[in-house]
């Protein structure tokens, strides 16, 4: 059985049908094409269902959820289906991220090449994500391990990472079998960081610089609590709750304190208004007792 025939793409979408069509086209044009493309539709209210339903490509599976359960819930649902259907590799990405034609090929080559060269199984491989102007996409910066360049060579230009975003991450089946699925109750934000750090307990992931993806976001900004506004605070509330929960679970109260200090400094430096700050501190407090379950497969 070939790698191609056991690779499933999982794309989570909500009300972005035009961008989604570009993503699907990019997946169809891969040099190594995924055998199945799961389009996980978070109960979109635009024409997503009609446009996906009109496609004649038998590899495309429209998974329409009865309600919007967020990106975290969507990835949980899509990965669970892909795993149950026997996928050996799960290629996870967003509905506004356009992979270059050889992006998947580069990820597969890196995972298999690393294991063949060094005898270790990376828990994931992640792409080099660029913004629409070609600059580095700030929100998709992987977190490196302390000895990240250990295996870096001109022939194998891969660096060790402990976390990445869910914008073009290739996850082998064994990692899902050992560590379960993403936490669906996170709804949005930090689900990718939590999950990749969890599976990296077995062995770090690898960053693959020549696997390129363009992330078509409105602006190029990372997660910085100094950028909170009335419009975007709902996302930051989820992020604050979820990361606090993760820190409490993995690092105890010292980790929570470190995160709280980071949030405080960013909001102070960004001159975030007091009413908005209070909402974030409430979310941090909620995170100290938020203990969502990890579903095993």
């Amino acid at each position: 059985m070939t790698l191609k025939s056991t690779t499933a793409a999982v794309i989570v979408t909500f009300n972005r049908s035009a961008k989604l069509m570009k993503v699907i086209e990019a997946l169809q044009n891969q040099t190594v094409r995924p055998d199945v493309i799961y389009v996980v539709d978070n109960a979109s209210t635009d024409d997503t269902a009609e446009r996906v339903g009109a496609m004649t490509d038998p590899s495309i599976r429209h998974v329409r959820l009865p309600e919007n359960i967020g990106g975290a819930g969507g990835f949980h649902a899509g990965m669970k289906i892909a795993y149950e259907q026997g996928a050996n590799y799960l290629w996870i990405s967003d509905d506004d991220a356009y992979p270059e034609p050889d992006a998947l090929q580069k990820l597969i080559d890196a995972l298999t090449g690393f294991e063949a060269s060094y005898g270790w199984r990376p828990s994931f491989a992640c792409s080099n994500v660029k913004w629409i102007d070609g600059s580095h996409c700030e929100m998709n910066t992987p977190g490196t391990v302390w000895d990240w360049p250990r295996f870096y060579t001109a022939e194998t230009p891969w660096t060790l990472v402990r976390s990445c975003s869910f914008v073009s991450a290739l996850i082998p089946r064994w990692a899902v079998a050992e560590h379960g699925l993403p936490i669906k109750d996170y709804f949005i934000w930090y689900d990718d960081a939590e999950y990749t750090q969890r599976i990296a307990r077995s062995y770090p992931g690898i960053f693959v610089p020549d696997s390129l993806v363009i992330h078509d976001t409105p602006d190029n900004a990372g997660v910085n609590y100094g950028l909170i506004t009335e419009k975007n605070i709902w996302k930051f509330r989820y992020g604050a709750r979820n990361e606090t929960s993760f820190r409490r679970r993995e690092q105890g109260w010292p980790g929570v304190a470190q995160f709280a200090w980071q949030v405080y400094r960013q909001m102070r430096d960004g001159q975030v208004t007091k009413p908005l700050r209070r909402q974030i501190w409430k979310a941090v407090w909620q995170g100290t007792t938020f203990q969502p379950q990890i579903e095993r497969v």
Side-chain angles (χ1 to χ4, degrees), residues 19-122:
K19 291 183 177 181
L20 174 65
M21 294 302 106
K22 292 180 65 176
V23 171
I24 293 175
E25 182 180 6
L27 298 183
Q28 292 172 320
N29 291 331
Q30 290 293 299
T31 54
V32 171
R33 181 174 167 174
D35 183 57
V36 183
I37 301 171
Y38 293 103
V39 178
V40 183
D41 181 358
N42 252 322
S44 295
T45 57
D46 63 359
D47 60 349
T48 292
E50 291 75 17
R51 297 186 72 171
V52 176
M55 291 184 158
T56 57
D57 184 344
S59 70
I60 297 173
R61 313 289 169 81
H62 184 207
V63 181
R64 182 167 174 83
L65 302 176
E67 61 180 336
N68 183 0
I69 55 177
F75 284 118
H76 175 280
M79 290 175 63
K80 184 175 183 178
I81 293 171
Y83 181 88
E84 290 175 344
Q85 293 300 311
N88 283 344
Y89 290 88
L90 289 71
W91 190 22
I92 313 304
S93 201
D94 274 350
D95 61 355
D96 58 355
Y98 317 130
E100 292 294 305
D102 61 352
L104 178 57
Q105 176 75 67
K106 296 292 187 182
L107 293 177
I108 291 174
D109 288 348
L111 273 183
T112 56
F114 190 97
E115 184 173 355
S117 297
Y118 304 114
W120 297 95
R121 297 187 305 177

Side-chain angles (χ1 to χ4, degrees), residues 22 25 29 47 107 110 117 119 124 132 147 151 194 211 232 244 267 282 290:
K22 292 180 65 176
E25 182 180 6
N29 291 331
D47 60 349
L107 293 177
S117 297
F124 60 89
I132 54 177
D147 58 343
F151 300 107
E194 185 280 331
S211 173
N232 66 22
T244 300
M267 291 196 297
K282 181 179 179 181
F290 180 51

Side-chain angles (χ1 to χ4, degrees), residues 241 244-245 248 253 256 283-291:
R241 182 199 65 175
T244 300
S245 174
R248 180 80 172 90
W253 288 110
V256 172
V284 169
W285 179 250
Q286 290 171 339
T288 62
T289 56
F290 180 51
Q291 298 178 327

Side-chain angles (χ1 to χ4, degrees), residues 45-269:
T45 57
D46 63 359
D47 60 349
T48 292
E50 291 75 17
R51 297 186 72 171
V52 176
M55 291 184 158
T56 57
D57 184 344
S59 70
I60 297 173
R61 313 289 169 81
H62 184 207
V63 181
R64 182 167 174 83
L65 302 176
E67 61 180 336
N68 183 0
I69 55 177
F75 284 118
H76 175 280
M79 290 175 63
K80 184 175 183 178
I81 293 171
Y83 181 88
E84 290 175 344
Q85 293 300 311
N88 283 344
Y89 290 88
L90 289 71
W91 190 22
I92 313 304
S93 201
D94 274 350
D95 61 355
D96 58 355
Y98 317 130
E100 292 294 305
D102 61 352
L104 178 57
Q105 176 75 67
K106 296 292 187 182
L107 293 177
I108 291 174
D109 288 348
L111 273 183
T112 56
F114 190 97
E115 184 173 355
S117 297
Y118 304 114
W120 297 95
R121 297 187 305 177
S123 54
F124 60 89
C126 57
S127 293
N128 186 359
V129 184
K130 302 293 186 180
W131 196 48
I132 54 177
D133 66 354
S135 62
H136 172 67
C137 195
E138 299 295 336
M139 70 167 58
N140 305 122
T141 304
T144 57
V145 301
W146 70 273
D147 58 343
W148 60 269
R150 180 177 296 277
F151 300 107
Y152 181 90
T153 68
E155 293 75 27
T156 58
W158 313 312
T159 54
L160 298 176
V161 294
R162 59 179 173 79
S163 65
C164 74
S165 73
F166 278 167
V167 174
S168 191
L170 186 67
I171 301 170
R173 181 180 183 85
W174 69 261
V176 182
E178 290 188 12
H179 298 284
L181 297 165
I183 297 176
K184 61 183 177 181
D185 292 334
Y186 272 11
F187 190 79
I188 194 173
W189 277 27
Y190 212 74
D191 52 311
D192 45 12
E194 185 280 331
Y195 187 70
T196 50
Q197 288 180 86
R198 188 188 342 144
I199 65 176
R201 292 171 182 166
S202 294
Y203 193 79
I206 51 175
F207 170 67
V208 185
D210 54 355
S211 173
L212 297 174
V213 176
I214 304 300
H215 200 182
D216 188 4
T217 58
D219 50 46
N220 189 12
V223 177
N224 185 322
Y225 285 82
L227 302 177
I228 292 174
T229 65
E230 290 280 1
K231 184 177 180 179
N232 66 22
I233 191 170
W234 69 275
K235 293 182 179 180
F236 281 93
R237 285 198 302 263
Y238 279 113
R241 182 199 65 175
N242 296 343
E243 185 165 355
T244 300
S245 174
F246 170 80
R247 298 273 191 140
R248 180 80 172 90
R249 187 188 81 200
E250 298 295 323
Q251 303 166 356
W253 288 110
V256 172
Q258 182 184 45
F259 175 60
W261 174 244
Q262 172 188 323
V263 170
Y264 166 77
R265 287 190 298 118
Q266 290 180 355
M267 291 196 297
R268 179 198 63 193
D269 295 346

